[in-house]
Amino acid sequence: MNRNYQKELEKLLAGLNNETHVPRLFLHACCAPCSSYVLEYLSEYFEITVFFYNPNISPEEEYEKRVEEIRRLIGEMDFRYPVEFVEGEYHPEEFFLMAKGLEKVPEGGERCFKCYRMRMEEAARLASEGGYDYFTTTLSISPLKNAAKINEIGEELAGIYQVSHLPSDFKKKNGYKRSVELSAEHCLYRQNYCGCIFSRQNGL
């Protein structure tokens, strides 16, 4: 049976209204446009640390541009609860090592799944070390990303690192549409490929 991760998220968020403290969320972010709606939405319920960890992005100039844009976005948006920013280490060779042997796999396949996991695992590890209540990723806002796989990975990592995974399918309820609107409002740079050289070659 297909799960509705957006409904699961809504049920969880409704339950947070009864909490006596504001929960802390460690949010892996892939770029500013994808983060815009997610931050607008979730900052009503959480204190958020935005974690930019994307060794898949190349070239380095593209990586630096995306870091700059997400920092600017956080500085410009208004939030109910505090939002902080943490930049992970940028070692693109780690991505290429992970992708070895999968270079010819079509976009949206096993290489992408391993890339999701690489980034989400670092987020889960740091969320656990930092004593956060939840971790998740902005990746599910993209219509090109497999939300079921993202949530499957998140749930597996939650068990390994003993930190709760926040279910998500942020593209639902016009989430992707809202991210496009917010990108226009903040004049955000919107890249024309996901991040890695393989997606760039395929224009995705």
Side-chain angles (χ1 to χ4, degrees):
M1 183 177 70
N2 290 333
R3 290 169 59 182
N4 188 320
Y5 294 102
Q6 175 61 31
K7 286 192 178 298
E8 291 183 25
L9 175 59
E10 289 172 3
K11 183 177 179 181
L12 188 153
L13 295 179
L16 293 181
N17 292 329
N18 300 320
E19 296 287 338
T20 56
H21 79 289
V22 180
R24 298 168 67 225
L25 170 66
F26 201 71
L27 174 66
H28 167 263
C30 55
C31 63
C34 288
S35 302
S36 58
Y37 164 72
V38 178
L39 287 172
E40 179 183 68
Y41 182 25
L42 296 183
S43 63
E44 290 294 311
Y45 304 93
F46 300 96
E47 290 184 5
I48 299 174
T49 296
V50 176
F51 177 50
F52 190 84
Y53 172 66
N54 299 289
N56 57 306
I57 296 175
S58 62
E60 187 170 356
E61 292 82 1
E62 175 75 17
Y63 173 88
E64 294 296 341
K65 179 66 173 177
R66 297 194 196 187
V67 173
E68 177 186 322
E69 285 293 89
I70 198 164
R71 285 184 184 275
R72 180 171 69 83
L73 176 68
I74 292 169
E76 291 181 2
M77 290 184 73
D78 295 319
F79 304 111
R80 180 180 182 184
Y81 297 117
V83 174
E84 299 179 350
F85 178 79
V86 171
E87 182 181 355
E89 296 185 4
Y90 179 57
H91 298 300
E93 65 275 8
E94 294 178 358
F95 168 76
F96 287 110
L97 181 62
M98 178 222 75
K100 190 172 183 179
L102 300 171
E103 294 89 348
K104 303 294 185 183
V105 173
E107 284 296 300
E110 188 62 28
R111 185 184 64 247
C112 293
F113 297 162
K114 291 186 72 173
C115 186
Y116 300 165
R117 184 187 177 94
M118 178 179 66
R119 291 180 283 169
M120 292 175 68
E121 183 157 19
E122 184 68 357
R125 182 181 70 82
L126 292 176
S128 178
E129 290 179 1
Y132 285 79
D133 298 289
Y134 297 92
F135 81 99
T136 196
T137 178
T138 61
L139 287 168
S140 71
I141 198 168
S142 170
L144 299 175
K145 298 292 186 292
N146 186 322
K149 192 67 178 180
I150 290 166
N151 283 278
E152 176 188 314
I153 292 168
E155 290 169 3
E156 179 187 352
L157 294 172
I160 294 170
Y161 291 96
Q162 298 300 296
V163 58
S164 295
H165 173 252
L166 195 71
S168 73
D169 193 353
F170 294 122
K171 69 178 74 66
K172 296 289 184 66
K173 294 191 70 176
N174 290 318
Y176 178 72
K177 180 175 180 288
R178 180 58 180 156
S179 75
V180 173
E181 294 170 352
L182 286 167
S183 295
E185 288 177 22
H186 291 275
C187 300
L188 294 177
Y189 162 65
R190 290 183 66 85
Q191 61 280 358
N192 59 7
Y193 66 104
C194 178
C196 75
I197 60 168
F198 310 111
S199 63
R200 189 176 190 182
Q201 290 165 357
N202 288 283
L204 294 171

